[in-house]
Amino acid sequence: MAELLVDFITSLDGYASGEGWPGFWGLEGPEYLAWLGEQPEVTYLMGANTYRTMSGFAASAVPSGQDEFRPEEQESVDELTRASKVVFSSTLEEPLTWANSTLVRGDAVEAVRAMKQDRPGILSTIGSLTLCRSLLRAGLVDRFRVVMFPVITGATGAERIYDGYPDVALEMTDHRTFDGSIQMVEYKPRVLEHPPLGAPA
């Protein structure tokens, strides 16, 4: 049975990206990059918006404000191109142009539920905030990992991650600091069906 990992890279204030900032906010260090290189092979899950963005990068587009990718950014894109990817969308058309991508048009929650039963290994989300929220709400997420970079993007931050999430209890299963400043925390999540006593209704 496959494990499902929701995997976020965020600013300290919970944004997935920031206007004008490079990948990793330009703050990645050698320990963090080495750790990324040690991660096991996964099948990536994403929605249409993430697919359009990431496949555009793979086709040589670069983020606004950059002339070209830095070497570490290009390596991340190349690794994603080589990896197996499942894309959930009712608007994209086959065939998908990004290598090793499979389109699924049905209900994403039910599709992932079946994937967890039918295959070994690790399923991992990338970006796709709405998909992650749906999978968490459905109780399918086994591991919830966040890597927080030492930056606050209150003025330029985009894609607030936790808006619209259910209440979730988190049991810490791992943590690590990279390069003296980047913090990784990993949890086992449990969605709370009822808010704690005293919480607003």
Side-chain angles (χ1 to χ4, degrees):
M1 181 172 179
E3 257 192 329
L4 176 58
L5 168 66
V6 164
D7 196 13
F8 285 131
I9 297 173
T10 79
S11 63
L12 185 62
D13 51 341
Y15 286 96
S17 62
E19 184 178 351
W21 290 85
F24 305 120
W25 289 271
L27 299 171
E28 72 287 346
E31 291 180 3
Y32 175 66
L33 293 175
W35 176 77
L36 282 182
E38 296 165 358
Q39 296 306 296
E41 184 175 313
V42 304
T43 297
Y44 288 103
L45 312 179
M46 68 188 75
N49 289 338
T50 297
Y51 173 84
R52 291 186 183 101
T53 299
M54 299 306 298
S55 63
F57 294 159
S60 300
V62 294
S64 176
Q66 287 183 243
D67 295 326
E68 60 183 11
F69 280 123
R70 293 172 296 134
E72 55 272 15
E73 292 176 305
Q74 186 61 59
E75 177 58 26
S76 292
V77 172
D78 292 344
E79 288 179 0
L80 283 172
T81 297
R82 293 189 292 267
S84 176
K85 298 170 286 292
V86 178
V87 184
F88 301 97
S89 174
S90 60
T91 58
L92 294 172
E93 297 293 336
E94 292 183 306
L96 295 179
T97 57
W98 196 11
N100 304 310
S101 298
T102 300
L103 179 63
V104 174
R105 293 194 178 280
D107 179 78
V109 167
E110 292 308 312
V112 172
R113 195 188 307 277
M115 291 171 66
K116 288 189 66 177
Q117 294 290 335
D118 294 343
R119 65 176 70 191
I122 301 174
L123 307 172
S124 177
T125 61
I126 179 169
S128 307
L129 304 186
T130 301
L131 174 65
C132 294
R133 186 169 58 234
S134 298
L135 296 175
L136 186 66
R137 192 182 297 276
L140 294 177
V141 178
D142 302 294
R143 297 161 56 196
F144 190 91
R145 185 167 70 192
V146 182
V147 177
M148 292 175 289
F149 282 76
V151 60
I152 294 173
T153 55
T156 59
E159 301 176 291
R160 283 176 57 87
I161 289 178
Y162 304 114
D163 288 354
Y165 265 56
D167 287 357
V168 181
L170 300 169
E171 175 188 344
M172 183 174 285
T173 57
D174 196 9
H175 63 91
R176 184 169 171 181
T177 300
F178 303 103
D179 304 295
S181 61
I182 301 166
Q183 187 68 47
M184 183 277 287
V185 286
E186 185 172 312
Y187 302 97
K188 179 180 179 180
R190 178 171 59 88
V191 176
L192 300 176
E193 296 183 4
H194 305 287
L197 292 176

